[in-house]
C-alpha cells in the first residue's frame, strides 16, 4: 500500500554555494599565461626573421650562420619536445580538473550543510509559530478532517517572507550547474512554488519549498484535536444511534402493545423502505452481514422492508418485515376479517389451497427444475442442491421470487378461498452438517407471503413439510429414501432437532402480529406411521404440541397428520388437547384399489366413502374428533410427470417401478386394466379435454368440497403447477373444471351422479 503523502517526508533539498569567484580567478591566470606564451612566441619569430637579438643589434654574417645551424638542430629535435610539451600540458590540465572536482565537492558539502541549517531554521520558526498560536487558543489547535493541522496560506506567506528576507540578508548563493541539471533548482518566481513544483527536464524537478516543508513538519507535530473532531466522539454517537434504532424496531415489532394488536393496527405507510434499494445506502449494512440480512444480496426486494436490523425473535430474523400491519381485510363477504374471530371451524369450515412446490420443492409441480439426465440421480431438493452446489442458492431464489407473487394471493382471494396452507421445510430455520440445502432464504419469502396473504384477508396454515432426517422418505420431505426421523441411526437426534425447530418457530409466530392471521400451526406433514413406531410418533406429537402452546401459540389450531393409519384408529389418541385437529390427505390415485374406479365411481366414492370417513373421524366416540383435509385434488390418474417420483413411471399404465419388487405395479390400473391405458391423453392440455370430461372433473372436485366441509374444511393441492393442469386450482378455474368462487358450486353430494357413458375409461 502506497504511503499517504502526508506520511512520506520528501528528501531534503541539496544546494551548494557557487565557486564563481575562484573560477574567474583561475580563468584570469590561464588567460595571462596564454598571453605571455603568445608574446614570447611572437618575439622569437621576430628575432629569427629580422636577424636581430634581444638587444635589437644587427648580427654579423658569421653569427647569423651559427644561429642558422643551431636552428636546424633545434628543428630536428622539435618533434620529441613537442610530444613532451603535450604530455606536460595534459598532466597540468588533469591536475587542474582534479583540483576543480575537489573544490566542487567542498562546495556541495557546504551547500548541504547550509540547506540543513535552513531546514532546521524553518522547523524552529514553525514550532515557534505554533507555540504562539497554541497559547493564544488556550493550547488547542484546529485540525483538518484527517487529523492533521491545517496551515493557512496567508499565514504561511507572512512567515515565508520573513524567512526569505533572512536568506537575502545572508550570504548570496548561486545555484550550481550540477544542481540545475539534477532538477533541484528553484525558479526565480518563488510564489509559483506554492502551487506546483517545476524542473528543467520535465516532470517534477523542483524541490519542496518552505511552505511544503512546513506543512510536512506540522502534520507530524500536531497536538490533540478539538473534541468535536475526535473520531471516538463520532463513533460513540453512531453506536448510540444504532442502539436507539434497534430498540425502537424491536419495541415496535415485538412488543405486546404493537399497533397490530386488537383490530389490526394501522397501515404500513410509516415504514421507510418500499422495496427499492435506492431507499437505503450500502453503508447502512454492516460489513460481513449474512445474506439474509443484506438486501443488496437479495434477488428480489419487492415489498420487503430493507432497513437493516439484526433483531431476532425466537432466534429468527425479523429483517424484511415492516413495523406496521393491517388486519382489517376479509377474504370475501362470507367470512370475517382477520381481526374478527373466525368462530367454530365445524360450522364454518376452511376453504383453502396450498402453495405447494414453492418453498419446498416437489418435482411434479416444477419439473423444469429437475430436467436432468436420469443417470445423474437428481430426484429431490437434496440431490438437486448437492449437484448444483453454490449455484443452488441463485436457482432456488429465482424460483421463490417468481413461482409465487402478490398476484398469487390476490387471485386466491378472488377465487372465493379464505385460507392458504404454506408448506416450508426446516432449512428455512436451520441446517446441519452435511446438508446441501439453501439456508434461510426461504424464510424471508415465507414471511413476505404471509404479509401478502394478510393484505387480502387470507388466513394461514403453517405447514412444516420437511423435518430433519425426513419423516416419510418421500421427495417432498427434502430427501427421498430412508426415514431417519424417530428411526434409523440418527432418529432420536433428528426428533430432538425437530422439536428445536418448533421451539424457535413457535416463539416467532407467537408475536402479536401473527395472532389473527396464523389460524393453523402444523407439526409434521405426513409422518409415515405405517413404517414408524406409532407410540413414538404419538409421544413426539404430544411433546411438540405442549412446546408450541407454552411458547404462545394459544389461538391457532395445532395440526398433526393421520400417518396413513386409517381414521378409525385415532379414536382415543391425543384427545383432550383443545383446538387440535387431525389432518388427513385424501387421494384415490395413490391407492392401487381406488385408481381403478371409473368416473362415476370416483365421484360416488368422494361423496360416500370419504363422507363416511369424515363422519366417523369427527365423532370422538369413533374417531379422534376435529378432522380436516389439508390435501386433495381432482386428478383421476397418476400420469403427471414425476408425480410418483422422478423416473418411477405410474400405476395407470402399469409402469410403476420403484426398485422394490414388492411395491412395483407392472399391470395397468386404469379401469380397463389393460394396455389401452393412455397417459398421453390424460396429460393433455385443457383445450383438448372434451366437455364430458370437463363435467366429470368439476363434479369430482365439488363432491370432495362438499364432503370435506362436513369436517373442519379443506385445502386443495395445489394452487398452480408448471404443466399438470389437473393438479392446479388456477388452471382448473381457467378451464372451467373448478368453480370461479369456492363457495358458489353447482354440485353437492345430494345430487344425482351421472354414469358418464361414452367417456373413455382409459385416460
Amino acid at each position: 500500500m502506497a504511503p499517504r503523502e502526508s506520511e512520506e517526508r520528501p528528501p531534503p533539498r541539496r544546494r551548494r554555494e557557487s565557486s564563481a569567484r575562484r573560477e574567474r580567478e583561475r580563468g584570469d591566470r590561464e588567460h595571462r599565461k596564454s598571453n605571455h606564451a603568445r608574446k614570447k612566441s611572437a618575439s622569437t619569430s621576430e628575432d629569427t626573421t629580422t636577424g636581430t637579438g634581444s638587444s635589437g643589434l644587427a648580427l654579423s654574417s658569421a653569427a647569423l650562420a651559427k644561429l642558422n645551424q643551431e636552428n636546424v638542430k633545434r628543428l630536428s629535435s622539435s618533434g620529441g619536445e613537442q610530444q613532451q610539451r603535450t604530455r606536460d600540458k595534459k598532466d597540468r590540465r588533469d591536475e587542474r580538473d582534479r583540483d576543480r572536482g575537489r573544490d566542487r565537492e567542498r562546495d556541495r558539502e557546504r551547500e548541504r550543510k547550509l540547506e540543513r541549517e535552513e531546514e532546521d531554521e524553518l522547523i524552529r520558526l514553525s514550532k515557534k509559530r505554533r507555540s504562539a498560536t497554541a497559547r493564544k487558543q488556550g493550547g488547542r489547535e484546529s485540525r483538518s478532517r484527517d487529523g492533521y493541522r491545517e496551515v493557512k496560506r496567508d499565514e504561511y506567506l507572512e512567515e515565508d517572507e520573513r524567512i526569505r528576507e533572512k536568506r537575502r540578508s545572508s550570504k548570496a548563493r548561486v545555484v550550481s550547474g550540477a544542481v540545475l541539471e539534477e532538477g533541484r533548482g528553484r525558479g526565480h518566481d518563488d510564489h509559483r512554488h506554492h502551487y506546483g513544483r517545476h524542473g528543467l527536464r520535465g516532470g517534477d524537478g523542483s524541490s519542496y519549498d518552505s511552505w511544503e516543508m512546513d506543512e510536512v513538519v506540522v502534520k507530524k507535530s500536531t497536538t490533540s484535536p478539538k473534541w468535536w473532531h475526535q473520531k471516538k466522539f463520532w463513533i460513540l454517537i453512531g453506536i448510540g444511534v444504532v442502539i436507539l434504532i434497534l430498540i425502537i424496531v424491536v419495541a415496535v415489532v415485538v412488543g405486546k402493545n404493537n399497533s397490530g394488536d386488537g383490530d389490526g393496527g394501522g397501515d404500513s405507510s410509516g415504514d421507510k423502505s418500499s422495496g427499492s434499494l435506492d431507499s437505503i445506502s450500502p453503508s447502512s449494512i454492516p460489513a460481513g452481514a449474512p445474506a439474509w440480512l443484506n438486501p443488496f444480496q437479495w434477488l428480489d426486494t419487492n415489498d420487503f422492508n430493507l432497513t437493516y436490523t439484526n433483531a431476532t425473535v425466537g432466534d429468527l430474523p425479523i429483517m424484511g418485515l415492516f413495523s406496521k400491519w393491517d388486519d382489517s381485510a376479509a377474504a370475501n363477504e362470507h367470512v370475517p376479517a382477520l381481526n374478527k374471530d373466525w368462530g367454530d371451524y365445524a360450522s364454518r369450515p376452511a376453504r383453502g389451497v396450498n402453495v405447494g412446490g414453492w418453498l419446498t420443492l416437489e418435482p411434479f409441480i416444477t419439473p423444469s427444475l429437475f430436467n436432468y439426465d436420469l443417470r445423474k440421480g437428481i430426484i429431490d431438493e437434496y440431490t438437486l442442491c448437492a449437484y448444483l452446489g453454490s449455484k443452488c442458492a441463485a436457482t432456488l431464489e429465482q424460483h421463490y421470487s417468481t413461482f409465487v407473487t402478490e398476484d398469487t394471493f390476490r387471485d386466491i382471494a378472488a377465487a372465493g378461498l379464505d385460507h392458504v396452507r404454506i408448506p416450508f421445510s426446516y432449512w428455512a430455520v436451520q441446517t446441519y452438517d452435511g446438508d446441501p440445502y439453501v439456508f434461510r432464504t426461504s424464510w424471508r419469502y415465507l414471511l413476505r407471503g404471509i404479509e401478502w396473504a394478510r393484505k387480502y384477508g387470507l388466513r394461514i396454515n403453517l405447514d412444516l413439510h420437511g423435518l430433519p432426517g425426513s419423516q416419510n422418505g418421500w421427495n417432498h420431505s427434502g430427501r427421498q429414501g430412508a426415514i431417519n426421523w424417530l428411526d434409523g441411526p440418527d432418529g432420536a437426534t433428528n426428533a430432538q432437532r425437530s422439536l428445536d425447530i418448533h421451539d424457535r418457530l413457535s416463539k416467532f409466530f407467537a408475536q402479536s402480529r401473527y395472532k389473527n392471521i396464523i389460524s393453523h400451526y402444523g407439526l409434521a406433514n405426513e409422518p409415515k406411521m405405517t413404517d414408524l413406531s406409532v407410540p413414538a410418533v404419538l409421544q413426539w406429537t404430544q411433546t411438540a404440541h405442549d412446546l408450541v402452546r407454552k411458547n404462545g401459540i394459544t389461538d391457532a389450531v395445532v395440526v398433526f397428520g393421520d400417518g396413513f393409519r386409517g381414521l378409525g384408529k385415532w379414536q382415543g389418541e391425543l384427545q383432550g388437547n383443545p383446538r387440535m385437529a387431525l389432518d388427513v390427505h385424501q387421494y384415490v390415485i395413490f391407492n392401487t384399489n381406488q385408481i381403478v374406479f371409473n368416473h362415476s365411481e370416483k365421484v360416488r366414492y368422494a361423496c360416500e366413502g370419504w363422507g363416511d370417513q369424515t363422519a366417523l373421524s369427527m365423532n370422538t366416540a369413533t374417531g379422534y374428533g376435529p378432522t380436516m383435509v389439508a390435501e386433495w385434488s381432482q386428478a383421476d390418474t397418476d400420469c403427471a410427470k414425476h408425480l410418483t417420483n422422478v423416473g418411477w413411471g405410474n400405476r395407470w399404465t402399469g409402469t410403476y417401478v420403484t426398485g422394490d419388487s414388492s411395491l412395483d405395479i407392472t399391470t395397468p390400473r386404469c379401469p380397463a386394466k389393460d394396455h389401452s391405458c393412455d397417459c398421453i391423453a390424460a396429460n393433455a392440455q385443457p383445450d383438448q379435454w372434451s366437455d364430458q370430461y370437463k363435467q366429470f372433473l368439476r363434479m369430482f372436485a365439488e363432491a370432495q368440497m362438499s364432503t370435506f366441509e362436513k369436517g373442519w374444511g379443506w385445502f386443495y393441492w395445489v394452487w398452480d403447477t408448471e404443466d399438470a393442469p389437473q393438479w392446479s386450482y388456477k388452471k382448473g378455474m381457467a378451464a372451467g373444471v373448478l368453480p370461479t368462487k369456492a363457495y358458489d358450486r353447482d354440485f353437492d353430494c345430494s345430487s344425482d351422479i351421472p354414469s358418464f357413458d361414452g367417456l373413455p375409461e382409459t385416460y
Side-chain angles (χ1 to χ4, degrees), residues 395-411:
T395 299
L396 290 191
E397 189 166 6
Q398 175 67 31
H399 166 69
Y400 296 154
S401 66
T402 56
F403 191 67
V404 170
T405 66
E406 180 181 351
D407 289 344
T408 302
F409 295 93
R410 180 190 296 114
D411 294 344

Side-chain angles (χ1 to χ4, degrees), residues 19 141 150 186 235 307 321 340 382 397 401 428 485 560 703 718 720:
S19 57
E141 290 182 320
E150 294 177 346
R186 293 173 62 92
I235 291 173
T307 304
L321 287 174
K340 306 298 181 183
Y382 184 98
E397 189 166 6
S401 66
W485 178 80
F560 66 99
V718 293
D720 202 9

Side-chain angles (χ1 to χ4, degrees), residues 47-157:
D47 290 345
T48 302
T49 305
T50 62
T52 60
S54 59
S55 62
L57 298 177
L59 296 176
S60 65
S61 58
L64 182 59
K66 185 178 181 178
L67 179 61
N68 289 335
Q69 291 176 352
E70 290 176 354
N71 286 339
V72 170
K73 292 179 180 179
R74 186 167 56 251
L75 289 173
S76 64
S77 62
S78 63
E81 293 174 354
Q82 180 66 32
Q83 291 178 0
Q84 182 62 40
R85 284 195 297 272
T86 301
R87 284 193 295 271
D88 292 344
K89 183 176 181 181
K90 180 177 182 302
D91 291 340
R92 287 193 298 272
R93 185 170 63 251
D94 291 343
E95 181 63 26
R96 286 196 301 271
D97 289 341
R98 284 193 291 272
D99 291 340
R100 290 172 181 171
R102 285 191 291 270
D103 292 340
R104 192 177 296 112
E105 185 59 33
R106 284 194 296 271
D107 291 341
R108 287 196 182 101
E109 182 59 33
R110 283 193 294 271
E111 172 70 19
R112 287 192 289 270
K113 181 177 180 181
L114 213 78
E115 182 69 0
R116 287 193 295 271
E117 290 175 354
E118 289 180 356
E119 290 174 0
D120 292 340
E121 178 67 10
L122 286 172
I123 294 172
R124 187 187 66 78
L125 291 174
S126 178
K127 288 182 177 180
K128 181 177 179 182
R129 183 186 65 190
R130 288 196 304 276
S131 298
T133 303
R135 287 193 298 271
K136 291 180 181 179
Q137 297 180 354
R140 295 190 301 271
E141 290 182 320
S142 63
R143 289 191 179 216
S144 63
R145 280 183 293 181
D146 63 357
Y148 295 112
R149 183 179 182 275
E150 294 177 346
V151 180
K152 296 181 179 179
R153 184 170 180 273
D154 292 341
E155 188 178 342
Y156 155 71
L157 290 175

Side-chain angles (χ1 to χ4, degrees), residues 21 71 103 147 205 211 258 368 386 390 496 530 549 568 570 583 762:
R21 180 175 57 82
N71 286 339
D103 292 340
W211 179 32
N258 193 290
S368 66
S390 60
Q496 182 57 51
T530 54
R549 289 296 193 211
W570 282 95
D583 173 18
T762 57

Side-chain angles (χ1 to χ4, degrees), residues 457-523:
L458 297 165
R459 288 170 167 83
I460 296 297
N461 180 350
L462 281 176
D463 167 42
L464 187 57
H465 216 68
L467 277 65
S470 178
Q471 71 279 12
N472 51 40
W474 291 324
N475 59 27
H476 48 76
S477 71
R479 188 173 191 180
Q480 180 180 319
I483 300 173
N484 201 12
W485 178 80
L486 289 178
D487 197 6
D490 298 318
T493 298
N494 287 325
Q496 182 57 51
R497 286 173 171 173
S498 300
L499 293 174
D500 294 341
I501 296 292
H502 277 301
D503 183 47
R504 297 164 73 179
L505 286 171
S506 57
K507 287 176 179 175
F508 188 91
F509 289 112
Q511 295 180 77
S512 57
R513 73 180 295 141
Y514 295 112
K515 77 171 188 176
N516 293 328
I517 191 171
I518 302 297
S519 60
H520 297 72
Y521 185 103
L523 299 178

Side-chain angles (χ1 to χ4, degrees), residues 624-639:
Y624 170 77
T627 303
M628 55 183 287
V629 181
E631 291 187 24
W632 64 277
S633 84
Q634 64 196 120
D636 65 330
T637 77
D638 63 345
C639 284

Side-chain angles (χ1 to χ4, degrees), residues 214-233:
D214 184 38
E215 186 177 11
V216 170
V217 173
V218 170
K219 284 185 176 181
K220 294 188 176 182
S221 307
T222 54
T223 58
S224 300
K226 294 181 178 180
W227 63 271
W228 58 80
H229 285 165
Q230 292 191 31
K231 291 183 178 179
K232 290 182 178 179
F233 170 77

